[in-house]
Amino acid sequence: ETGVTQSPTHLIKTRGQQVTLRCSSQSGHNTVSWYQQALGQGPQFIFQYYREEENGRGNFPPRFSGLQFPNYSSELNVNALELDDSALYLCASSPTGKIEGYTFGSGTRLTVV
Amino acid sequence: AQSVAQPEDQVNVAEGNPLTVKCTYSVSGNPYLFWYVQYPNRGLQFLLKYITGDNLVKGSYGFEAEFNKSQTSFHLKKPSALVSDSALYFCAVRLLKAAGNKLTFGGGTRVLVKP
């Protein structure tokens, strides 16, 4: 079975720009979560999507938004980038009803300059 | 609210010696508990979980963890550490009946195993 794949692996953006990060879920997983991991810190929950709708959100501003598609893949969009948005962004997928079954991708390293 | 504390930023151990990485949690309810490992420039790899049942949980790569409800702890252990165990370790908690799959992570503990 395939795992969770994220693209791109690295990205450099300028402050004020917008960015889109992509995630393909593991086969059979229909729930996708996004996490932000700043350097030297643990991952912080951004939001989760299930059946193409957001069904949980962490303490992140509205300029962080997402989409989930019918094939369960997902996008994370960040508008008006700030320097503090520089981080590793992790996508995690899980099957419905098996809460322990998280699988994380390798992440996208975003640098905002 | 839920939180996780990993009191040690770094743990140093000699190869072959026992390894312990500490984790305490705070939740208002019954928790799911997890340990993940992260290698440089990589995502998180699952090691083990506690959902219910036996307090001693065995996971991948020879790791185990003991759930202690009275001390609200979930320490990760390995009887004999390898140099290849050098990595960043994260403890995470999720409420049993919380909506969504939000995991709350600790700040991480860097493990350095010396030959």
Side-chain angles (χ1 to χ4, degrees):
Chain A
E1 62 181 14
T2 59
V4 176
T5 57
Q6 293 186 241
S7 63
T9 55
H10 295 82
L11 199 55
I12 300 175
K13 288 286 189 178
T14 303
R15 187 171 51 182
Q17 285 187 315
Q18 177 266 342
V19 68
T20 297
L21 310 182
R22 295 178 174 82
C23 172
S24 294
S25 303
Q26 180 167 319
S27 177
H29 288 190
N30 56 11
T31 301
V32 175
S33 304
W34 285 91
Y35 289 80
Q36 180 196 65
Q37 185 180 12
L39 195 63
Q41 298 182 20
Q44 299 290 319
F45 176 74
I46 302 175
F47 45 55
Q48 176 180 281
Y49 278 79
Y50 172 64
R51 292 185 174 178
E52 303 175 47
E53 292 192 1
E54 184 182 301
N55 75 338
R57 190 176 183 92
N59 189 26
F60 281 82
R63 61 189 184 85
F64 285 78
S65 63
L67 287 172
Q68 185 182 31
F69 300 98
N71 66 354
Y72 307 135
S73 65
S74 177
E75 290 182 353
L76 164 64
N77 299 289
V78 187
N79 294 322
L81 284 167
E82 301 177 359
L83 297 180
D84 286 348
D85 295 333
S86 297
L88 181 67
Y89 288 85
L90 297 166
C91 172
S93 71
S94 59
T96 305
K98 294 185 179 181
I99 298 167
E100 66 271 24
Y102 301 97
T103 301
F104 280 83
S106 294
T108 295
R109 173 74 62 187
L110 173 65
T111 302
V112 182
V113 298
Chain B
Q2 54 198 51
S3 64
V4 177
Q6 294 181 242
E8 301 157 315
D9 290 336
Q10 181 160 322
V11 171
N12 298 319
V13 63
E15 187 174 32
N17 282 1
L19 169 64
T20 298
V21 185
K22 296 179 180 177
C23 171
T24 58
Y25 65 91
S26 174
V27 297
S28 54
N30 293 318
Y32 288 144
L33 293 158
F34 302 80
W35 275 101
Y36 287 87
V37 61
Q38 186 176 39
Y39 295 96
N41 300 313
R42 300 295 300 276
L44 301 175
Q45 295 180 26
F46 171 80
L47 283 178
L48 51 79
K49 65 182 183 292
Y50 172 81
I51 305 297
T52 187
D54 289 341
N55 290 341
L56 185 62
V57 178
K58 293 188 181 298
S60 306
Y61 314 118
F63 284 94
E64 59 188 28
E66 185 169 9
F67 171 63
N68 187 318
K69 187 173 184 178
S70 62
Q71 297 185 4
T72 62
S73 66
F74 190 57
H75 302 329
L76 180 70
K77 299 181 181 182
K78 185 171 184 179
S80 178
L82 302 173
V83 172
S84 58
D85 294 328
S86 297
L88 191 55
Y89 290 79
F90 290 98
C91 180
V93 65
R94 182 196 179 280
L95 273 176
L96 193 67
K97 295 186 176 181
N101 281 347
K102 174 184 176 181
L103 286 173
T104 298
F105 286 86
T109 298
R110 187 166 302 281
V111 170
L112 180 59
V113 182
K114 299 180 179 179

